[in-house]
């Protein structure tokens, strides 16, 4: 059963924990004049997510459906949502629209360029492309400018059935998740480290987010910029860009 929490003004986290992965899947609903859903969830999760969203807004009233990158937990149920929400339009990166969604979706998407803004009413969501961060050529994130919320997808991925909101060390939890996946024969190499990884994380840090709405795990409330900058060190240490000792804290 989905758990619903308001994690920032008008922003609701609809969370389903899947025991087989020991992982939460979080879908974010912005309740505003033009409601926006970030993460459709998987097709098989659709009835549960739809029923949870229906406690917040009429699903038929959805105006925007967005996500970070093409993957079933991000946008697998897109067509199910488009069917119940006749005014809804899919919005994603321009490359995502061109290479996946114009074919995959039952209605044409809108591709967002860097710094395009979606105004939902009281809230403004700025699109930031982040190719290959956390993964996927088409990856991007949305930043809400009035309350400092970063809808950050798989960044700060945490394992377990954790609390909805925390100010605890989410970077440590993400580090533990990366370590667990790196040790897994199937799930390894989940996040690529590229020459642009650090720069992209620092660009997100410069937005000075105060809320990091993670797809898997708790939403972090605190100094999001510091967490994002430290994440560059963590990924380089964990994924081997520099010798392990070079970044070890005394
Ligand atoms: Fe992903
Ligand atoms: Fe994910």
């Amino acid at each position: 059963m989905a758990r619903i929490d308001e994690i920032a003004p008008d922003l609701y986290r609809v969370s389903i924990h899947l025991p087989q992965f020991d992982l939460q899947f979080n879908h974010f609903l912005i309740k505003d004049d033009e409601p926006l859903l970030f993460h459709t969830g998987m097709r098989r999760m659709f009835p549960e997510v739809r029923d949870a969203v229906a406690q917040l807004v009429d699903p038929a009233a959805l105006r925007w459906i967005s996500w970070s990158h093409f993957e079933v937990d991000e946008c697998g149920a897109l067509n199910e949502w488009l069917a119940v929400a006749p005014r809804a339009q899919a919005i994603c990166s321009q490359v995502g629209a061109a290479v996946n969604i114009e074919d995959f979706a039952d209605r044409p998407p809108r591709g967002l360029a860097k710094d395009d803004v979606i105004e939902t009413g009281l809230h403004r969501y700025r699109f930031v492309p982040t190719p290959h961060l956390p993964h996927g050529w088409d990856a991007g994130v949305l930043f809400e400018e009035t309350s400092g919320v970063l809808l950050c997808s798989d960044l700060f991925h945490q394992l377990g059935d954790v609390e909805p909101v925390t100010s605890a060390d989410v970077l440590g939890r993400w580090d533990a998740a990366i370590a667990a996946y790196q040790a897994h024969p199937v799930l390894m190499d989940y996040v690529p480290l590229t020459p642009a990884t650090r720069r992209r994380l620092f660009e997100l840090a410069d937005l000075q987010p105060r809320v990091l709405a993670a797809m898997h795990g708790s939403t972090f409330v605190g100094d999001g910029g510091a967490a994002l900058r430290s994440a560059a060190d963590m990924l380089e240490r964990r994924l081997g860009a520099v010798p392990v000792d070079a970044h070890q804290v005394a």
Side-chain angles (χ1 to χ4, degrees):
M1 181 132 152
R3 173 173 175 158
I4 303 172
D5 293 275
E6 187 173 11
I7 56 154
D10 308 317
L11 178 59
Y12 293 83
R13 174 184 183 271
V14 174
S15 182
I16 297 173
H17 177 254
L18 286 192
Q20 61 268 44
F21 297 115
D22 192 21
L23 194 62
Q24 291 172 333
F25 290 82
N26 300 323
H27 318 79
F28 296 96
L29 188 277
I30 291 88
K31 189 175 176 178
D32 206 346
D33 296 342
E34 297 191 355
L36 186 158
L37 178 69
F38 194 76
H39 301 147
T40 72
M42 303 176 196
R43 279 192 311 136
R44 290 186 216 294
M45 244 182 224
F46 174 70
E48 195 173 351
V49 179
R50 178 202 56 207
D51 290 351
V53 166
Q55 296 178 43
L56 303 165
V57 298
D58 178 0
L62 279 181
R63 178 67 183 88
W64 305 107
I65 301 172
S66 192
W67 61 91
S68 167
H69 51 277
F70 193 72
E71 202 170 24
V72 290
D73 57 351
E74 298 268 349
C75 62
L78 173 60
N79 288 325
E80 283 77 359
W81 283 106
L82 291 175
V84 299
R87 291 178 59 243
Q89 185 170 32
I91 46 176
C92 61
S93 67
Q94 290 177 317
V95 67
V99 303
N100 288 317
I101 305 303
E102 282 169 10
D103 183 72
F104 177 77
D106 290 339
R107 291 202 298 274
R110 174 170 158 191
L112 298 177
K114 179 173 169 43
D115 292 329
D116 277 354
V117 171
I118 297 292
E119 294 199 31
T120 56
L122 288 176
H123 298 279
R124 289 170 52 86
Y125 285 84
R126 180 176 297 278
F127 178 70
V128 184
T130 59
H132 305 291
L133 181 74
H135 44 223
W137 181 18
D138 56 326
V141 293
L142 287 178
F143 179 63
E144 205 287 310
E145 298 189 321
T146 57
S147 47
V149 174
L150 188 67
L151 295 168
C152 62
S153 176
D154 296 325
L155 301 177
F156 299 94
H157 168 177
Q158 306 148 55
L159 305 176
D161 198 10
V162 290
E163 67 277 41
V165 178
T166 187
S167 295
D169 175 22
V170 284
L171 182 62
R173 294 186 193 176
W174 190 21
D175 188 13
I178 294 273
Y181 278 27
Q182 285 303 93
H184 191 283
V186 174
L187 300 176
M188 65 185 300
D189 296 337
Y190 164 62
V191 176
L193 190 67
T194 78
T197 300
R198 172 173 289 271
R199 172 168 55 82
R200 294 198 197 291
L201 285 165
F202 274 55
E203 281 173 5
L204 296 180
D206 288 345
L207 298 171
Q208 299 182 297
R210 300 187 294 279
V211 178
L212 301 173
M215 177 188 234
H216 310 286
S218 302
T219 291
F220 173 71
V221 176
D223 187 345
L228 284 155
R229 277 185 277 271
S230 298
D233 293 339
M234 182 279 283
L235 289 175
E236 289 174 2
R237 187 170 60 237
R238 186 60 70 187
L239 301 176
V242 292
V244 170
D245 291 345
H247 277 312
Q248 269 180 351
V249 178

